[in-house]
Amino acid sequence: MPSNNLLLEEPIRMASILEPSKPTFFPAMTKIVGTLGPRSRSVEIISGCLNAGMSVARFDFSWGDTAYHQETLENLKIAIKSTKKLCAVMLDTIGPELLVVTKTEHPISLLADESVVLTPDQDKEATSNLLPINFSGLSKAVKKGDTIFIGQYLFTGNETTSVMLEVTDVDGEDVVCQIKNSAILARQLYTLHVSQIRIDLPTLTDKDKEVISTWGARNNIDFLSLSHTRGAEDVRHARDFLSQLGDLGQTQIFAKIENTEGLTHFDEILQEADGIILARGNLGVDLPPEKVFLFQKAALYKCNMAGKPAVVTRVVDSMTDNLRPTRAEATDVANAVLDGSDAILLGAETLRGLYPVETISIVGKICAEAEKVFNHNLFFKKVINYVGEPMSHLESITSSAVRSAIKVKASAIICFTSSGRAARLIAKYRPTMPVLSVVIPQLKTNQLRWTFTGAFEARQSLIIRGLFPMLADPRHAAETTNATNESALKVALDYGKAHGVIKSHDRVVICQKVGDSAVVKIMELED
């Protein structure tokens, strides 16, 4: 087990805990992914979410049609312009997700020890004794004694809208179950999860492909969240599909690990994917409760060492209906940061929660406090030891930039980049200070038209811990024959000063390509 990333060398003075935190432009180094939905789709609420710290907007196609999500996205664009906050877009696929098909808005009461039949006949009305589902192969996949979970959106385990069933009989295509706990199904979106059973459905379904090729392509999505990823082949298949859709060839794929099959093939998935989402809702059902933390720590460690962003879900479920998280939830958020998470993903908390803006704000504050006691020096040494020698040229330069910034107590690291790779490598080493990634657009052509790159690369930094992108003037070159690109550097310094990151007499570390070489420069600012 990797050693703890909590900074213990300097014990905290207890009275300092009561001191209010200083406001900053960047609420936290850890990023927040917010799911936009019924409670968070107006321009006003989205603007509040952006100001509170949301940097990635997730669109979950498990519900709602493309017209609904397009309207929400247009509101997001308006909010981005009014707040002047960058925000990336993530499309979350449905995948082989099983759903209870209910056409009624009336609550369905399920009583413990009673029987309920799961049927693929979607024409039947959902009742307390009969639940239609969207999959005809369930009867072939399960056997007597198997456990089935049904929950609203996903499962929290502590709400009366989650129910556990035990299979007692299989009758043709119907599955007869005994209800293990009383619950009320009060809304329309209910997912069904069969513990540790493979569902014979493709990871990227035909409906997913239709949504990606229409809504996704039209809106140039930055991230594809690949639900129920079970192996590296799932990621390769999704990437091949995206490569056929023009600019979506640049879209990054985040594999959602939410079953034991994905856990078993984690290493190969990590190698193929651009990032990982630890979907603790479904996975928390597949795993024994005492094993969930072990998977989280091991998975985050692997992601950190590989330099690939890791996102943790399901942290403040109670804030769906409450203004404050539980003590356990607040600690859970902090532990995700200390374990090495790049971002926290909020699902139901912002999608249908009563307090989406407040939830993002509180999660950001918890992340910021946890970052103060994150042992950056220990983490830096662990990554250096893991990478080993000889390092690649770029890895050597970027790790040196972080080491220099720590030694001189720099306020920020400024990295000029075209692809974003250098900035991501700097962030991999978790410097104590923010990394300002100055993305220089490049002119390219497909022999039919000229376009500038850079927008994708800038937005895709918004999910990486400690990395804050800005898109520079394309007339500034990322590679230069001068020691520094003075005009682009001035823009970056002015940006840092305007947002309180850089002050007079501060030191900054600059990482930039100069011709065929890369240069790390330390600059001390004057008045």
Side-chain angles (χ1 to χ4, degrees):
M1 172 64 64
S3 56
N4 195 345
N5 286 326
L6 179 63
L7 184 62
L8 296 174
E9 288 86 345
E10 301 175 10
I12 296 172
R13 187 170 55 87
M14 285 299 177
S16 69
I17 295 174
L18 301 177
E19 295 173 0
S21 301
K22 296 178 181 178
T24 60
F25 173 74
F26 304 123
M29 305 278 256
T30 306
K31 304 302 176 66
I32 297 176
V33 181
T35 305
L36 301 186
R39 295 277 187 174
S40 54
R41 65 191 304 257
S42 69
V43 174
E44 180 183 3
I45 295 296
I46 295 174
S47 298
C49 291
L50 292 172
N51 285 323
M54 180 182 77
S55 62
V56 180
R58 172 175 172 257
F59 292 80
D60 186 356
F61 277 82
S62 294
W63 62 275
D65 57 21
T66 54
Y68 180 91
H69 288 299
Q70 188 64 42
E71 185 180 335
T72 305
L73 181 58
E74 295 304 321
N75 288 342
L76 171 65
K77 292 176 182 178
I78 296 170
I80 289 172
K81 287 183 179 179
S82 65
T83 61
K84 295 181 172 58
K85 302 276 189 183
L86 273 178
C87 186
V89 172
M90 174 182 283
L91 188 159
D92 202 313
T93 63
I94 301 172
E97 186 168 70
L98 307 188
L99 300 172
V100 174
V101 180
T102 171
K103 300 169 185 175
T104 178
E105 295 186 1
H106 300 296
I108 299 170
S109 179
L110 301 177
L111 299 177
D113 300 325
E114 295 288 322
S115 290
V116 64
V117 176
L118 304 179
T119 177
D121 188 350
Q122 299 182 33
D123 292 330
K124 292 185 177 179
E125 188 73 24
T127 68
S128 298
N129 306 112
L130 183 73
L131 295 177
I133 61 173
N134 66 340
F135 179 52
S136 60
L138 184 64
S139 60
K140 297 177 182 177
V142 300
K143 62 183 183 302
K144 184 176 180 180
D146 282 345
T147 301
I148 297 175
F149 293 86
I150 295 176
Q152 184 177 17
Y153 193 71
L154 283 174
F155 321 100
T156 67
N158 64 358
E159 60 182 7
T160 57
T161 54
S162 294
V163 65
M164 184 170 72
L165 309 175
E166 181 180 323
V167 177
T168 58
D169 192 18
V170 175
D171 182 11
E173 290 190 328
D174 293 346
V175 177
V176 183
C177 303
Q178 182 186 29
I179 302 169
K180 305 302 287 185
N181 65 285
S182 297
I184 298 175
L185 308 187
R187 293 188 177 97
Q188 289 188 314
L189 182 62
Y190 281 86
T191 57
L192 183 147
H193 182 81
V194 187
S195 183
Q196 301 193 17
I197 297 294
R198 179 183 173 86
I199 300 301
D200 190 20
L201 288 171
T203 301
L204 197 65
T205 65
D206 289 340
K207 183 176 180 182
D208 290 328
K209 291 179 178 180
E210 181 186 350
V211 168
I212 294 167
S213 60
T214 54
W215 191 90
R218 182 166 67 248
N219 295 298
N220 285 335
I221 56 170
D222 303 296
F223 304 108
L224 179 72
S225 171
L226 190 60
S227 296
H228 301 275
T229 303
R230 294 172 282 196
E233 186 56 39
D234 292 337
V235 182
R236 285 191 287 268
H237 175 67
R239 201 177 300 283
D240 288 344
F241 179 71
L242 290 175
S243 68
Q244 302 168 26
L245 300 173
D247 287 342
L248 290 198
Q250 301 178 70
T251 298
Q252 290 188 349
I253 298 173
F254 275 59
K256 283 182 78 176
I257 309 300
E258 44 192 324
N259 50 48
T260 52
E261 194 172 356
L263 183 152
T264 304
H265 300 127
F266 185 86
D267 289 346
E268 66 179 52
I269 293 171
L270 176 61
Q271 190 171 359
E272 200 68 39
D274 297 299
I276 297 290
I277 297 175
L278 308 185
R280 302 190 308 172
N282 280 331
L283 193 60
V285 170
D286 259 13
L287 290 176
E290 67 272 18
K291 297 287 188 178
V292 174
F293 87 96
L294 192 60
F295 166 72
Q296 175 172 309
K297 289 180 181 294
L300 290 178
Y301 174 79
K302 287 175 179 287
C303 291
N304 291 165
M305 294 304 107
K308 293 191 176 182
V311 183
V312 170
T313 70
R314 307 309 302 274
V315 289
V316 286
D317 290 320
S318 72
M319 290 198 73
T320 303
D321 301 306
N322 299 297
L323 195 52
R324 285 172 62 94
T326 66
R327 293 169 292 282
E329 288 173 337
T331 305
D332 189 27
V333 174
N335 279 329
V337 174
L338 296 174
D339 286 346
S341 177
D342 282 84
I344 302 294
L345 190 153
L346 301 173
E349 301 100 319
T350 55
L351 177 134
R352 60 178 174 84
L354 301 178
Y355 310 101
V357 176
E358 292 84 353
T359 300
I360 292 170
S361 176
I362 289 174
V363 168
K365 289 176 182 177
I366 297 170
C367 290
E369 290 298 321
E371 289 159 8
K372 293 177 183 177
V373 293
F374 183 82
N375 196 328
H376 293 85
N377 288 332
L378 176 60
F379 186 90
F380 181 86
K381 291 174 184 175
K382 284 198 297 186
V383 180
I384 289 288
N385 290 336
Y386 182 86
V387 172
E389 296 179 354
M391 284 184 173
S392 68
H393 179 72
L394 188 57
E395 184 108 31
S396 175
I397 290 295
T398 52
S399 61
S400 296
V402 176
R403 188 193 300 274
S404 300
I406 293 172
K407 292 294 185 184
V408 303
K409 292 182 167 39
S411 296
I413 299 174
I414 297 175
C415 179
F416 294 92
T417 180
S418 296
S419 66
R421 184 162 174 253
R424 289 195 299 272
L425 275 175
I426 290 175
K428 168 184 173 179
Y429 286 88
R430 294 284 193 265
T432 55
M433 66 292 297
V435 181
L436 302 183
S437 171
V438 184
V439 181
I440 311 291
Q442 299 288 299
L443 190 63
K444 69 170 186 176
T445 180
N446 60 1
Q447 298 182 335
L448 293 175
R449 64 191 179 100
W450 291 91
T451 56
F452 277 110
T453 65
F456 265 108
E457 291 80 0
R459 292 193 302 267
Q460 286 169 346
S461 300
L462 292 167
I463 204 166
I464 298 174
R465 182 160 156 181
L467 194 51
F468 300 93
M470 55 179 291
L471 196 59
D473 190 315
R475 291 170 293 182
H476 300 150
E479 301 178 24
T480 178
T481 54
N482 301 321
T484 56
N485 186 322
E486 297 296 336
S487 55
L489 177 58
K490 184 178 185 305
V491 171
L493 291 173
D494 289 345
Y495 177 84
K497 290 175 183 176
H499 297 116
V501 178
I502 302 170
K503 303 183 295 296
S504 297
H505 304 293
D506 279 357
R507 291 171 179 169
V508 295
V509 169
I510 300 154
C511 184
Q512 181 182 19
K513 289 194 74 174
V514 177
D516 294 330
S517 303
V519 170
V520 174
K521 179 180 178 180
I522 301 170
M523 174 181 285
E524 186 164 342
L525 303 183
E526 300 175 353
D527 289 331

